[in-house]
């Protein structure tokens, strides 16, 4: 697949058709991720792969974290919690694997830290495009509960790292059309 086609056809999918994404594919995607540009070869990214077989355990952990976060809420917040529970459970039931992408923070060097986050975001996009080129679909999520301290513990995220993306990977359930609201002329000025 030409890179232009991968860029244009990649879409954020919220639900997946079921079936695993295997270790070999996860390794290929991480290999693409680590070829992202990064200033001074900091290679700030780290990847944590939640295999298909571990997704039921991840679902349990997410649901427990959600319940803990919502404790003591009123009727309306309990209704919203129930909706969130349903959504995350349905999503994880169809997911093929999850890649958690972190970067090593540099609290003493904000300029380099910012560049490292940018590099990690490029690595995430490489993963998403690599998935698209393999007929897989993806979701880049930053949902709060997925990055909670207990979920960090579940993934085994190292101290001094922050989560840039929880990438859900899977097989397509539907074909999705893309949307962009700004044309090239609205975002481009030739100098
Ligand atoms: C940094 C970042 C965080 C995102 N977090 C979420 C998220 O938490 N939940 C979600 O549904 N989508 C999330 N997205 C996906 C965007 O919603 C999605 O890219 C946008 O709707 C455009 O759709 P497209 O990816 O199909 O072009 C995130 C995207 C980025 C770049």
């Amino acid at each position: 697949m030409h890179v232009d086609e991968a860029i244009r056809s990649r879409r954020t999918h919220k639900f997946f058709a079921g079936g695993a994404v295997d270790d070999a594919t996860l390794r290929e995607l991480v290999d693409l991720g680590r070829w992202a540009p990064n200033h001074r070869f900091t290679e700030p990214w780290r990847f944590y792969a939640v295999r298909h077989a571990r997704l039921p355990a991840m679902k349990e952990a997410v649901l427990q974290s959600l319940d803990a976060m919502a404790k003591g809420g009123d009727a309306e917040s309990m209704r919203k919690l129930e909706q969130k529970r349903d959504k995350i459970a349905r999503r994880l039931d169809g997911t093929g694997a999850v890649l958690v992408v972190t970067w090593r923070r540099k609290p003493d060097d904000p300029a380099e830290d910012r560049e490292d986050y940018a590099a990690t975001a490029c690595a995430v996009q490489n993963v998403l495009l690599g998935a698209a080129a393999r007929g897989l679909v993806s979701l880049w999520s930053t949902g709060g509960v997925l990055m909670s301290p207990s979920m960090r513990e579940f993934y085994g995220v190292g101290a001094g790292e922050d989560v840039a993306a929880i990438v859900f990977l899977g097989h397509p359930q539907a074909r999705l059309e893309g949307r962009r609201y700004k044309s090239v002329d609205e975002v481009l000025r030739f100098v």
Side-chain angles (χ1 to χ4, degrees):
M1 181 186 280
H2 190 278
V3 67
D4 289 14
E5 195 190 338
I7 289 169
R8 288 181 196 281
S9 66
R10 179 212 57 80
R11 288 278 71 76
T12 293
H13 284 244
K14 309 247 172 174
F15 299 101
F16 307 88
V21 173
D22 61 27
D23 286 9
T25 304
L26 292 170
R27 291 187 70 87
E28 287 172 15
L29 296 178
V30 170
D31 182 40
L32 294 173
R34 77 192 176 92
W35 280 101
N38 63 107
H39 198 186
R40 301 192 185 94
F41 285 99
T42 55
E43 300 178 64
W45 41 69
R46 295 294 181 272
F47 300 85
Y48 300 87
V50 186
R51 290 183 167 117
H52 187 250
R54 288 288 289 157
L55 293 176
M58 178 172 167
K59 181 168 88 174
E60 270 319 297
V62 176
L63 294 180
Q64 273 181 23
S65 295
L66 260 182
D67 291 345
M69 283 164 82
K71 232 176 206 156
D74 58 16
E76 177 59 11
S77 53
M78 293 317 275
R79 195 184 57 81
K80 284 193 177 146
L81 169 70
E82 213 38 58
Q83 282 179 347
K84 261 192 185 166
R85 286 180 119 267
D86 283 353
K87 190 174 79 173
I88 196 75
R90 204 150 59 85
R91 178 171 298 157
L92 278 165
D93 285 344
T95 299
V98 169
L99 269 183
V100 178
V101 189
T102 70
W103 85 106
R104 305 185 97 178
R105 298 302 308 265
K106 301 243 173 62
D108 300 332
D109 190 341
E112 193 159 289
D113 189 50
R114 186 176 132 104
E115 291 190 336
D116 283 350
Y117 174 71
T120 305
C122 293
V124 174
Q125 174 74 338
N126 281 6
V127 167
L128 305 187
L129 295 181
R134 286 161 177 74
L136 297 170
V137 292
S138 61
L139 161 67
W140 176 340
S141 177
T142 46
V145 68
L146 295 167
M147 298 156 95
S148 63
S150 57
M151 289 314 298
R152 284 177 60 109
E153 203 176 312
F154 177 87
Y155 312 130
V157 168
E161 294 173 31
D162 262 356
V163 178
I166 313 284
V167 180
F168 291 77
L169 294 162
H171 300 274
Q173 191 181 59
R175 209 189 116 72
L176 299 182
E177 294 304 324
R179 279 180 297 168
R180 285 301 179 260
Y181 299 103
K182 294 188 179 71
S183 67
V184 171
D185 290 329
E186 283 175 279
V187 298
L188 171 66
R189 288 289 173 270
F190 284 102
V191 176

